[in-house]
Structures are given as structure tokens and as C-alpha cells.
Amino acid sequence: MSPTIAHALAWAKSILASAGSDSPSTDARLLLAHVLGKDQTYLYTWADKILSDRTYVDFQHLVNARQQGEPVAYLLGYRDFWTLRLAVNPSTLIPRPETELLVEHALGRLSEDASSLCDLGTGTGAVALALASERPDISVTGVDKVAGAVQLARQNAIVNQLINVQFLQSDWFGALGNSQFNLIVSNPPYVEEGSPYLEEGDVRFEPRSALISGKDGLEDIRHIIGAAIPYLQAKGWLLLEHGYQQGKAIRGLFAHYGYTAVETVQDYAGLDRVTMGQRNTCE
Ligand code: GLN
């Protein structure tokens, strides 16, 4: 006979813990709520309810896939980010909670009369869509060089009913013509080639192109900081997410290209995570 909700969760938790998941309880709850088509509070309210055989079989399949390392977000097909539910698939990075810091600081740098912003390497569209949802008065452009990502981001805009955003296939600034923005934001790849981090956990399943950026992880960031200047309006802001050990080098790059008001901010774990600078007006 199939187990109760509480027993199924306990079973899954112990399997996932021994498989090395660092969040076995959360994983188990997300997967079971998903097969039941309910939210997580249902699991607590109905802990003694016996699962149907069908539900239990489906749950076992998901737990087994998770045990093999498959990210929960790919198994569910979505990840919540900011206030939005975003479809995800293996053509893009799974949105990370720490990237909400980039959204917060971008919002803080957008003046009341700002009219446009651009998100480079948008992936699922997470950052572009979060900003578009908070600032319906602003025209948001998201670009990605991967066609599958552009398609997914467009789908996420439609599902979340955001109409002030457009997505283009573009290798960084390649397809942006002579557009200029009040703010440019990016969570680019920034992991060093050959980093042991790439062999651990969920990142093993994510596209390398969204993660790796040359030997020092700074290849794309270096390019973006230099190339962004003509795409920024006078006093426009560039904000970049980056690795926790890259803050100093990135502040140096911003300074080298003449940006002002350069500043690094820390994420909730106290680690350097976002650096920003303003286009100097006296060029
Ligand atoms: N912060 C990301 C991670 O944890 C790195 C993603 C990126 O390179 N933008 O994997």
C-alpha cells in the first residue's frame, strides 16, 4: 500500500540526504507538492493522508531523478524568482535567489523618469521580467545569444502578463544597434574554466555557456564593462553580478573605463556579489 504524505516525505528526505542534496527536506516537499498539484501547506495539513498509488509512483520517479542529481527546477519545470514563477529548461541557468540582489539595486538606481533598461544574457528572463514587473512605465529589453533562452524568456513574459518587455537574440550588444539605455544589468557567466565548482551539485546540469568565462572568469565582464559605454545614456548605470572573489578586480575595470560612483554590494551571505558604476558624463 502507498504511504501517507508524512511517510513519503520522510522516505524521500532520507534518500536525498544520503545522495548528498544540501536541501533534502525542501526538495522532497517541492516534488511531492508538485505531483499532488497542491501547494506546500497542503502537505502539513494533510500529513496523514494516504497517497494514491499513481501519485506515489510519480513521486518515486521524481525522487529517483533527483537522487541522480537532476536539479529540482528542471524536474518541476519552473523556479520562483522575485514575485514571478518562471519556466526553466536546460538551455538556461536556473535563477538563483542571490540574483534578487541585482534586481533590488537596479531598482534603486532607476530614477523616476528613467525610460529604458537592458538585461544582457537574460536566460529565463528572470532579471528583465522582475524589473519589468516593478516598473511598468519602463521599456525593458532582454538579450541572449542562445535561441532557446530567448524563446523561454518570451514565454515567461507572456505567462506573467508583462507587456513592457521585449527579448532579442543577441551576442551581448551585437543586435542592439544604436539604442541607449538608462541602465544596463547583467548576470553574465563568471566562473573560471576548470573550476572544481562545476563538478558539484546542480551546476553539472546547467549550460556551460551560462557559467564559464575564460581562465579567470572575467572574460565576459571585461568585455561588457568596456563595450557598454556607448549603449548607456549620460549618467546611465551598469550593474553586474559576479563571483565573491571578483569585486576588487571588477571595481578596477570600472575605474579603468572611466565609470564613476563605483561600488560593490554584498549578498545575504555577506559576500561581494554585485558591482555597479555610472557612465561619466564628461567624456
Ligand atoms: N552564481 C552562479 C552559481 O552559483 C554563477 C552563475 C554565473 O556564472 N552567472 O553557479
Side-chain angles (χ1 to χ4, degrees):
M1 196 174 76
S2 291
T4 61
I5 285 179
H7 284 131
L9 285 175
W11 164 79
K13 185 181 160 186
S14 77
I15 293 223
L16 297 178
S18 49
S21 163
D22 49 15
S23 51
S25 308
T26 313
D27 293 0
R29 283 197 304 272
L30 282 166
L31 295 174
L32 187 53
H34 180 68
V35 290
L36 286 164
K38 307 283 186 192
D39 61 25
Q40 289 192 45
T41 48
Y42 181 93
L43 305 177
Y44 298 105
T45 315
W46 299 100
D48 295 330
K49 191 177 160 75
I50 292 173
L51 296 176
S52 73
D53 291 348
R54 178 76 230 191
T55 304
Y56 186 43
V57 168
D58 290 349
F59 182 53
Q60 284 173 303
H61 280 138
L62 289 181
V63 171
N64 290 337
R66 178 61 185 146
Q67 191 184 7
Q68 307 301 317
E70 182 86 14
V72 172
Y74 290 156
L75 293 170
L76 304 182
Y78 65 81
R79 166 66 31 110
D80 291 333
F81 179 82
W82 200 253
T83 58
L84 310 170
R85 174 151 295 182
L86 301 173
V88 298
N89 69 34
S91 65
T92 71
L93 200 74
I94 298 164
R96 313 274 204 264
E98 63 267 26
T99 300
E100 294 186 347
L101 187 73
L102 191 59
V103 174
E104 273 170 38
H105 284 273
L107 286 173
R109 293 292 184 282
L110 280 168
S111 61
E112 231 162 76
D113 59 358
S115 59
S116 65
L117 71 89
C118 179
D119 175 27
L120 300 168
T122 197
T124 57
V127 172
L129 294 167
L131 291 170
S133 74
E134 295 293 333
R135 287 295 301 263
D137 56 319
I138 285 183
S139 152
V140 176
T141 304
V143 305
D144 204 289
K145 73 170 176 196
V146 177
V150 175
Q151 221 174 5
L152 186 66
R154 285 184 182 145
Q155 179 194 334
N156 279 325
I158 293 168
V159 172
N160 286 285
Q161 301 183 322
L162 295 165
I163 53 168
N164 55 321
V165 57
Q166 56 157 345
F167 291 104
L168 305 174
Q169 190 174 359
S170 176
D171 189 0
W172 302 130
F173 300 94
L176 290 174
N178 51 11
S179 318
Q180 280 198 322
F181 305 93
N182 295 112
L183 181 144
I184 297 176
V185 71
S186 182
N187 173 17
Y190 54 72
V191 179
E192 313 90 67
E193 247 166 50
S195 163
Y197 169 72
L198 297 163
E199 309 309 320
E200 291 165 21
D202 289 8
V203 288
R204 290 171 298 161
F205 293 79
E206 294 178 296
R208 309 280 90 174
S209 65
L211 289 161
I212 302 172
S213 190
K215 286 200 168 45
D216 61 357
L218 291 173
E219 214 160 84
D220 291 289
I221 286 182
R222 219 177 271 121
H223 170 71
I224 292 170
I225 294 176
I229 294 168
Y231 296 93
L232 285 168
Q233 288 179 1
K235 299 216 153 211
W237 287 94
L238 173 63
L239 288 92
L240 299 174
E241 179 176 320
H242 55 77
Y244 70 99
Q245 291 167 317
Q246 295 172 331
K248 188 164 175 238
I250 293 173
R251 287 194 299 280
L253 287 165
F254 271 99
H256 173 80
Y257 284 100
Y259 290 78
T260 55
V262 176
E263 184 189 353
T264 299
V265 290
Q266 285 75 40
D267 63 19
Y268 306 111
L271 303 170
D272 280 0
R273 186 60 63 196
V274 170
T275 296
M276 62 202 95
Q278 192 170 27
R279 180 179 165 175
N280 195 335
T281 42
C282 16
E283 290 168 73

